[in-house]
Amino acid sequence: MRILKRGLLFLFVLVLVAVGAFLIFAPGYVERSRNAIIPHDPYPVSDAAQSLHDTLVVGDWHADSLLWKRDIAKRGTRGQVDVPRLIEGGVALQVFTAVTKSPAGQNYDNNSADTFDNITPLAIGQLWPPRTWNSLIERAVFQAERLHRVADRAPDRLTVITSRAGLDAHLAARAEGSTVVGGLLGIEGAHALEGDLSNLDRLEDAGHRIIGLHHFFDNELGGSLHGVGNQGLTDFGREVVAAVEARGLVLDLAHSSPAVAWDVLEMTNMPVVVSHTGLHGFCPVKRNFEDEIMRAVAATGGVIGMGYWGHVLCRDATPEAIAAMIAKAVDTVGADHVSLGSDFDGSVTTPFDTSELPALTHALRAAGLDDTTIAKVMGGNMVRVLRARLN
């Protein structure tokens, strides 16, 4: 009996050690495999490109860094974005987007909303609060809380922007030499509302200002680009769009179906964004809206955020490939309507992390874009849209 008890005790301890090791090491392993950087020698950055980059207001519409178990206040050894690397890359504005649900086996063609959700085990495995384990709205609020905590701990390096006045104060400080990063919050898919418009109040109170309607599946608002039927806006979706417009929030069409995009464009007068995408005329895949929709987005005064990963480029991801797509986008929709939308830390492999953004400025100059256009693409257009929308 004593031997049996000792055996059971040993087994219990072994299980505890295994669980502990899983909780400690598994999240890092998962992220390293999901958010890789292509191995590379240092990219060329001319003195002229670096000098230009140092004068730019650099802004990026989309990073999923708050999803992962690491402290973005510290320079990481994995992933693509954290505050130190944003500062190194000269980034003035970074949108941090809350991912709240993602279907297993996600792909760009079609996904069922009933498919097993990848974020649930990630939330549990990363020891998020139990309130987030079965609530999409709580996941969005929790990720916002994470960003606010970083800003509270390091106000000399990060501030959270929620208003036009806050944006202008931040940019004025940057013009005087501040290196503080301005973080903005958004949601990747309004399924986080859980079908209840009153939850938009909770998202606003948490600091979210960019509202994506969809992610990889159809939801209560209508069809996803990767759903099962190219459905348009539902009545609830129209309510949400109208509320976003009335409240001075930014509406993001990334991952929405073409039918939803057209419905939104027909019912609103605000500039809208497609936060992280490619250009169909450069890379004709389903993930990239056809150019007709992108021109209609531009006609609202909105912008399209150019992504950094191979699928939206239709070729190996390099600074030169991204610059070539940006140049094509400028030709297609105009210099005032192209932005950066990296999708950093969004389960994509990129050619560089955010600290290496001067390499993109160099590549844009090499692609023949003039300095005024580069300034617009790298952040000026983003600032214009934010000023037009934030209260």
Side-chain angles (χ1 to χ4, degrees), residues 43-389:
Y43 294 117
V45 180
S46 68
D47 290 343
Q50 186 65 62
S51 295
L52 172 61
H53 191 84
D54 291 342
T55 70
L56 300 176
V57 175
V58 179
D60 176 11
W61 281 106
H62 197 93
D64 294 330
S65 313
L66 299 174
L67 181 62
W68 307 100
K69 188 179 181 180
R70 56 184 166 91
D71 183 357
I72 65 166
K74 301 177 181 178
R75 199 183 202 287
T77 58
R78 64 179 187 264
Q80 297 148 349
V81 168
D82 49 51
V83 173
R85 283 184 280 181
L86 287 165
I87 293 172
E88 290 172 29
V91 178
L93 298 167
Q94 178 65 60
V95 174
F96 292 94
T97 314
V99 181
T100 56
K101 183 179 176 181
S102 180
Q106 67 182 35
N107 61 72
Y108 291 136
D109 293 322
N110 59 79
N111 301 273
S112 169
D114 299 326
T115 304
F116 180 78
D117 170 37
N118 285 328
I119 306 303
T120 298
L122 192 66
I124 295 171
Q126 295 186 148
L127 299 180
W128 286 13
R131 63 186 168 92
T132 68
W133 294 0
N134 62 358
S135 170
L136 306 185
I137 182 68
E138 293 294 348
R139 292 175 188 177
V141 170
F142 172 69
Q143 289 176 70
E145 292 169 350
R146 293 190 68 196
L147 189 68
H148 285 292
R149 283 196 293 269
V150 173
D152 289 344
R153 295 196 333 259
D156 59 331
R157 292 186 293 158
L158 177 71
T159 186
V160 180
I161 295 170
T162 59
S163 67
R164 187 185 306 137
L167 173 67
D168 288 342
H170 171 66
L171 294 177
R174 294 278 306 190
E176 294 297 320
S178 168
T179 60
V180 175
V181 176
L184 296 105
L185 284 157
I187 57 168
E188 187 152 36
H191 46 273
L193 295 171
E194 298 182 336
D196 184 349
L197 189 59
S198 68
N199 276 330
L200 191 57
D201 295 331
R202 290 201 65 198
L203 293 175
E204 276 196 89
D205 290 345
H208 289 287
R209 293 296 182 269
I210 292 87
I211 307 299
L213 300 180
H214 294 93
H215 199 201
F216 273 91
F217 50 89
D218 303 333
N219 62 25
E220 299 96 338
L221 291 83
S224 164
L225 180 62
H226 326 285
V228 295
N230 189 32
Q231 302 165 21
L233 285 172
T234 63
D235 289 343
F236 178 65
R238 291 180 179 276
E239 285 186 76
V240 172
V241 171
V244 167
E245 184 166 23
R247 295 179 185 216
L249 304 174
V250 179
L251 191 141
D252 180 9
L253 289 176
H255 293 295
S256 289
S257 70
V260 162
W262 286 120
D263 285 349
V264 168
L265 293 167
E266 288 171 3
M267 69 173 285
T268 64
N269 294 308
M270 61 179 165
V272 299
V273 305
V274 185
S275 65
H276 56 303
T277 184
L279 187 78
H280 198 273
F282 183 85
C283 173
V285 294
K286 184 177 181 179
R287 177 64 178 79
N288 301 334
F289 278 149
E290 293 194 4
D291 292 357
E292 184 182 11
I293 295 178
M294 295 305 200
R295 291 189 184 98
V297 167
T300 71
V303 296
I304 57 176
M306 296 285 95
Y308 299 173
W309 70 104
H311 186 88
V312 297
L313 292 161
C314 290
R315 64 203 67 190
D316 292 341
T318 64
E320 294 76 19
I322 298 166
M325 183 168 67
I326 288 173
K328 179 67 172 178
V330 168
D331 289 342
T332 301
V333 302
D336 293 330
H337 307 290
V338 184
S339 279
L340 304 182
S342 65
D343 202 17
F344 276 146
D345 293 329
S347 295
V348 294
T349 297
T350 61
F352 48 76
D353 68 16
T354 194
S355 72
E356 300 174 274
L357 276 173
L360 181 56
T361 299
H362 175 93
L364 290 170
R365 295 186 90 245
L369 274 66
D370 61 67
D371 290 356
T372 299
T373 298
I374 292 171
K376 290 179 178 181
V377 169
M378 293 296 285
N381 292 334
M382 180 180 185
V383 170
R384 175 180 55 77
V385 171
L386 290 173
R387 281 188 170 137
R389 290 302 304 149

